[in-house]
PDB file of all heavy atoms in Angstrom:
ATOM      1  N   HIS A 129     119.104 142.867 154.998  1.00  0.00           N
ATOM      2  CA  HIS A 129     118.892 141.688 154.186  1.00  0.00           C
ATOM      3  C   HIS A 129     119.908 141.646 153.040  1.00  0.00           C
ATOM      4  O   HIS A 129     120.584 140.653 152.805  1.00  0.00           O
ATOM      5  CB  HIS A 129     117.462 141.777 153.652  1.00  0.00           C
ATOM      6  CG  HIS A 129     116.955 140.505 153.100  1.00  0.00           C
ATOM      7  ND1 HIS A 129     117.306 139.285 153.620  1.00  0.00           N
ATOM      8  CD2 HIS A 129     116.117 140.253 152.075  1.00  0.00           C
ATOM      9  CE1 HIS A 129     116.708 138.349 152.931  1.00  0.00           C
ATOM     10  NE2 HIS A 129     115.983 138.902 151.990  1.00  0.00           N
ATOM     11  N   ASP A 139     129.640 149.059 146.082  1.00  0.00           N
ATOM     12  CA  ASP A 139     130.039 147.851 145.350  1.00  0.00           C
ATOM     13  C   ASP A 139     129.825 148.014 143.851  1.00  0.00           C
ATOM     14  O   ASP A 139     128.927 148.727 143.418  1.00  0.00           O
ATOM     15  CB  ASP A 139     129.193 146.648 145.808  1.00  0.00           C
ATOM     16  CG  ASP A 139     129.633 146.139 147.158  1.00  0.00           C
ATOM     17  OD1 ASP A 139     130.657 146.632 147.661  1.00  0.00           O
ATOM     18  OD2 ASP A 139     128.940 145.265 147.703  1.00  0.00           O
ATOM     19  N   GLY A 159     131.853 140.124 142.287  1.00  0.00           N
ATOM     20  CA  GLY A 159     132.287 138.799 141.852  1.00  0.00           C
ATOM     21  C   GLY A 159     131.360 137.668 142.242  1.00  0.00           C
ATOM     22  O   GLY A 159     131.671 136.505 142.041  1.00  0.00           O
ATOM     23  N   GLN A 160     130.203 138.013 142.809  1.00  0.00           N
ATOM     24  CA  GLN A 160     129.307 136.953 143.229  1.00  0.00           C
ATOM     25  C   GLN A 160     127.962 137.066 142.535  1.00  0.00           C
ATOM     26  O   GLN A 160     127.444 138.167 142.362  1.00  0.00           O
ATOM     27  CB  GLN A 160     129.136 137.078 144.722  1.00  0.00           C
ATOM     28  CG  GLN A 160     127.858 136.470 145.169  1.00  0.00           C
ATOM     29  CD  GLN A 160     127.876 136.214 146.624  1.00  0.00           C
ATOM     30  OE1 GLN A 160     128.697 136.762 147.337  1.00  0.00           O
ATOM     31  NE2 GLN A 160     126.991 135.384 147.064  1.00  0.00           N
TER      32      GLN A 160
ATOM     33  N   ARG B 378     133.182 139.052 151.070  1.00  0.00           N
ATOM     34  CA  ARG B 378     131.925 138.990 151.783  1.00  0.00           C
ATOM     35  C   ARG B 378     131.995 138.053 152.986  1.00  0.00           C
ATOM     36  O   ARG B 378     131.449 138.329 154.051  1.00  0.00           O
ATOM     37  CB  ARG B 378     130.874 138.507 150.797  1.00  0.00           C
ATOM     38  CG  ARG B 378     129.613 138.145 151.420  1.00  0.00           C
ATOM     39  CD  ARG B 378     128.762 137.545 150.339  1.00  0.00           C
ATOM     40  NE  ARG B 378     127.648 136.874 150.936  1.00  0.00           N
ATOM     41  CZ  ARG B 378     127.055 135.863 150.364  1.00  0.00           C
ATOM     42  NH1 ARG B 378     127.476 135.411 149.206  1.00  0.00           N
ATOM     43  NH2 ARG B 378     126.029 135.299 150.945  1.00  0.00           N
ATOM     44  N   ARG B 406     138.670 132.720 139.300  1.00  0.00           N
ATOM     45  CA  ARG B 406     138.128 134.076 139.277  1.00  0.00           C
ATOM     46  C   ARG B 406     139.233 135.122 139.313  1.00  0.00           C
ATOM     47  O   ARG B 406     138.979 136.311 139.508  1.00  0.00           O
ATOM     48  CB  ARG B 406     137.194 134.289 140.460  1.00  0.00           C
ATOM     49  CG  ARG B 406     135.966 133.433 140.350  1.00  0.00           C
ATOM     50  CD  ARG B 406     134.840 134.016 141.119  1.00  0.00           C
ATOM     51  NE  ARG B 406     133.654 133.198 140.959  1.00  0.00           N
ATOM     52  CZ  ARG B 406     132.478 133.495 141.468  1.00  0.00           C
ATOM     53  NH1 ARG B 406     132.339 134.581 142.177  1.00  0.00           N
ATOM     54  NH2 ARG B 406     131.458 132.705 141.280  1.00  0.00           N
ATOM     55  N   LYS B 551     136.358 144.689 153.763  1.00  0.00           N
ATOM     56  CA  LYS B 551     136.841 145.117 152.459  1.00  0.00           C
ATOM     57  C   LYS B 551     138.303 145.547 152.542  1.00  0.00           C
ATOM     58  O   LYS B 551     139.099 145.234 151.667  1.00  0.00           O
ATOM     59  CB  LYS B 551     135.963 146.256 151.933  1.00  0.00           C
ATOM     60  CG  LYS B 551     136.019 146.377 150.434  1.00  0.00           C
ATOM     61  CD  LYS B 551     134.899 147.230 149.905  1.00  0.00           C
ATOM     62  CE  LYS B 551     133.713 146.383 149.491  1.00  0.00           C
ATOM     63  NZ  LYS B 551     132.580 147.173 149.066  1.00  0.00           N
ATOM     64  N   ARG B 708     111.197 132.477 155.411  1.00  0.00           N
ATOM     65  CA  ARG B 708     111.216 133.299 156.603  1.00  0.00           C
ATOM     66  C   ARG B 708     109.902 133.415 157.331  1.00  0.00           C
ATOM     67  O   ARG B 708     109.872 133.410 158.550  1.00  0.00           O
ATOM     68  CB  ARG B 708     111.803 134.661 156.284  1.00  0.00           C
ATOM     69  CG  ARG B 708     113.318 134.536 156.349  1.00  0.00           C
ATOM     70  CD  ARG B 708     113.984 135.848 156.301  1.00  0.00           C
ATOM     71  NE  ARG B 708     114.088 136.258 154.925  1.00  0.00           N
ATOM     72  CZ  ARG B 708     114.299 137.497 154.565  1.00  0.00           C
ATOM     73  NH1 ARG B 708     114.382 138.433 155.461  1.00  0.00           N
ATOM     74  NH2 ARG B 708     114.421 137.791 153.296  1.00  0.00           N
TER      75      ARG B 708
END
Side-chain angles (χ1 to χ4, degrees):
Chain A
H129 195 34
D139 284 353
Q160 156 162 17
Chain B
R378 169 187 166 208
R406 294 204 178 184
K551 203 165 266 176
R708 277 191 277 161

